[in-house]
Amino acid sequence: MSSPGKISPLFGARPDTSETISVVIPVYNEASNLPTLWARLERVLGGIERACEVVFVDDGSTDDSLRLLREFAARDKRVRVVELARNFGQHSALLAGFRNCRGDIVVTLDADLQNPPEDIPRLIEAIDEGNDVVGGWREERQDRTYRRLASRMHNRVTSAIVGVPMHDYGCMLRAYRRHIVDTVVACDEKAAFVPALANSFAKRVAEIRVGHAERTAGESKYNLFRLAHLSLNLITGFSNFPIRALSLTGIAISFLAALLAAILLGHRLLYGPQQEGALWTLFSVLFFFVGMIFLALGLIGEYVGRIYLEVRRRPTYIVRAVHGDHTTDSAFETPRR
Ligand code: UDP
Ligand code: MG
């Protein structure tokens, strides 16, 4: 275990083999995949020259998953199983895993064998190079076309919102340094999207190409509705943009209404009163007030958004270490002559 203020090795430095590795895997009804997953994972862990642990989080599975996981734990003391009381969703399961793992480096992956466990050593290598977060990039994604399109859009939006561009925010084959995991856990968010949250706290982020296999057993737990839900959570969780857009629309509508009024006035001065003039004037007044209502809603939204930011309690900054002499508070002493 590293001490709290430990700084990651610099680029190209020798890896610190005293650091420990945790592999965190959320599991929801994956009984058909678990035996193969564990067999492959065991082989991979055998090749890593560091102490490892595997934390399986059973996310309320209704099939044989939990029994299988407990069997792994009984056979191998590197395995821990966190059993959730019911199905809470992949990201909540990940958070539960984060809270219950101890490694200096934490690797996450899916249980359905779409993420090859054999890529784990490369993720760890990239962390050794001094990155806080390493994301997997499934360049050749083996999913349905609609999933690939949805995910491309999702990655664009997430990159813009988080401010850290990445090709693949949806890939769960990722690695994190301990301080990032601790911060994500400390946020204790109800609708967290772990990769985005982690990136927003990282100084150095890298992406490496990883393999992706088709799902051969079990079925995907995500449909379009659940994906849309995830995206909405993400957008509202990271920005007040939708509220801002409302205010801006309001201002634009009012502005157009004022323009219309000016045109009507000009028209009347030039050509004298017209028959439909009153109707148009009414329109412009109406639009003006519709715009104002939008603006008012947006302003109320701003305040609600601020309250939201406050109650969310995400840290505004994170101190990793304090360097220099702090045995005395000399900075506050008046120099004696
Ligand atoms: N998962 C979970 N809880 C859920 C849904 C999924 O723990 O409510 C796990 C699932 O067992 C798998 C991973 O999250 O290990 C990814 O799920 P899935 O393969 O269904 O997602 P997809 O690959 O289709 O995005
Ligand atoms: Mg999958």
Side-chain angles (χ1 to χ4, degrees), residues 110 112 114 143 212 215 220:
D110 286 350
D112 59 358
Q114 289 198 273
D143 275 317
H212 194 235
R215 210 183 223 283
S220 170

Side-chain angles (χ1 to χ4, degrees), residues 258-279:
L259 201 65
L260 180 62
I263 292 171
L264 287 175
L265 188 67
H267 200 268
R268 188 189 163 106
L269 289 180
L270 280 178
Y271 305 106
Q274 309 266 309
Q275 220 178 5
E276 312 90 50
L279 189 66

Side-chain angles (χ1 to χ4, degrees), residues 10 31 66 239 281:
L10 291 175
L66 182 60
S239 79
T281 311

Side-chain angles (χ1 to χ4, degrees), residues 58-112:
D58 176 59
D59 188 16
S61 297
T62 49
D63 65 354
D64 234 7
S65 298
L66 182 60
R67 190 185 59 76
L68 286 171
L69 294 178
R70 292 186 62 178
E71 254 177 49
F72 302 159
R75 264 190 280 148
D76 192 323
K77 60 180 191 330
R78 291 174 299 180
V79 177
R80 193 143 12 112
V81 181
V82 178
E83 178 187 344
L84 300 187
R86 47 155 275 222
N87 180 243
F88 287 97
Q90 184 185 1
H91 288 266
S92 303
L94 266 181
L95 287 180
F98 275 8
R99 207 180 272 275
N100 284 283
C101 72
R102 294 169 294 200
D104 297 307
I105 299 170
V106 180
V107 176
T108 61
L109 76 153
D110 286 350
D112 59 358

